[in-house]
């Protein structure tokens, strides 16, 4: 079936406290990453960069008060597709080398996706659509030519490091399980957590070839101790501490019974 051309590829919504949500409405929910923009007094912060189906930076240029640094919570294709567009790129040390070469195991078409990988995703509770986009970003776009561009990090971080944008300071948290190098950003002053795919309000993917359930359990235990006010996750709507604790407990109980 021929795909129509989208009127626009990105949508934005201010969510308060200097934070704006950016998303790709024509990307299948499985791969529709939440892209978070945070306004800072010295530079802006972009948490994850989406699929990279079309250019992100020009589409959201009006959000930037000045310079911007892009932070990758991890290196799966739906989170780093446009990372290469940004001059300043922060990646966790466990997956920095992966980002330099780019992880291109994924295709926009289910039939081109590795069968073992597809099974892991579907066993977790997702259904993979025939195609991960329902429109084209522009005329002449070839979905089968989709790939993630390599992007050498300009800064490599580890647990306990700080990302500062002037008036706002975020502690880097290593939150492995979904992937070895999954990281989050924690702002203690506001109780704000950008969790990436370590915690989101949907079926958690912990059976990918690079996932580790034991690590994920430790991550859940750590998250339960954080006095969060709001969690801005890698997918699905944001949520508060009560939902985070419920989610973590459910996960730990599920894995303990397995």
């Amino acid at each position: 079936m021929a795909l129509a051309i989208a009127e626009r590829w990105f949508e934005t919504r201010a969510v308060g406290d200097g934070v704006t949500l950016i998303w790709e409405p024509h990307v299948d929910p499985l791969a529709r990453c939440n892209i978070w923009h945070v306004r800072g007094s010295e530079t802006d912060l972009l948490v994850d960069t989406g699929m990279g189906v079309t250019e992100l930076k020009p589409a959201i240029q009006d959000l930037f008060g000045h310079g911007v640094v892009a932070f990758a919570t991890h290196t799966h294709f739906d989170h780093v597709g446009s990372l290469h567009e940004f001059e300043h790129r922060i990646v966790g040390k466990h997956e920095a080398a992966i980002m330099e070469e780019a992880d291109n195991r994924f295709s926009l078409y289910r039939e081109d996706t590795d069968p073992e990988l597809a099974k892991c995703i579907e066993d977790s509770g997702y259904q993979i659509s025939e195609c991960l986009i329902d429109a084209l970003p522009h005329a002449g776009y070839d979905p089968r030519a989709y790939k993630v561009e390599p992007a050498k990090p300009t800064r490599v971080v580890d647990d306990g490091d700080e990302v500062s944008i002037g008036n706002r300071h975020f502690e880097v948290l290593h939150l492995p399980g979904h992937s070895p190098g999954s990281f989050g950003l924690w702002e203690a002053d506001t109780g704000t957590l950008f969790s990436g795919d370590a915690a989101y309000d949907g079926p958690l993917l912990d059976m990918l070839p690079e996932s580790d359930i034991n690590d994920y359990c430790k991550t859940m235990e750590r998250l339960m101790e954080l006095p969060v006010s709001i969690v801005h996750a890698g997918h699905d709507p944001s949520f508060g501490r009560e939902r985070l604790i419920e989610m973590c407990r459910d996960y730990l109980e599920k894995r303990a019974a397995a």
Side-chain angles (χ1 to χ4, degrees), residues 113-216:
T113 300
D114 178 83
E116 180 184 353
L117 185 60
K119 185 177 186 303
C120 289
I121 294 170
E122 291 176 334
D123 285 349
S124 296
Y126 290 97
Q127 191 167 15
I128 304 177
S129 300
E130 178 185 345
C131 183
L132 290 179
I133 58 174
D134 64 12
L136 301 179
H138 54 77
Y141 180 79
D142 179 7
R144 294 197 182 276
Y146 170 80
K147 68 174 183 177
V148 176
E149 296 292 338
K152 184 176 181 178
T154 58
R155 181 185 175 192
V156 176
V157 294
D158 198 2
D159 190 74
D161 288 343
E162 181 180 273
V163 173
S164 175
I165 55 175
N167 60 328
R168 305 190 70 160
H169 309 276
F170 297 88
E171 180 184 355
V172 177
L173 303 182
H174 185 208
L175 304 172
H178 175 72
S179 75
S182 286
F183 278 85
L185 291 175
W186 164 241
E187 187 179 42
D189 287 348
T190 61
T192 300
L193 174 67
F194 292 96
S195 63
D197 282 4
Y200 55 89
D201 205 353
L204 299 178
L205 287 171
D206 64 358
M207 294 191 294
L208 300 172
E210 64 270 26
S211 300
D212 187 295
I213 291 173
N214 288 332
D215 281 347
Y216 222 144

Side-chain angles (χ1 to χ4, degrees), residues 209-246:
E210 64 270 26
S211 300
D212 187 295
I213 291 173
N214 288 332
D215 281 347
Y216 222 144
C217 288
K218 293 175 184 176
T219 285
M220 290 301 183
E221 291 168 352
R222 183 179 191 182
L223 290 176
M224 288 176 68
E225 299 301 316
L226 282 181
V228 304
S229 297
I230 187 73
V231 179
H232 296 311
H235 299 271
D236 302 310
S238 301
F239 51 92
R241 188 166 192 270
E242 183 178 344
R243 177 59 184 140
L244 176 63
I245 291 175
E246 179 183 34

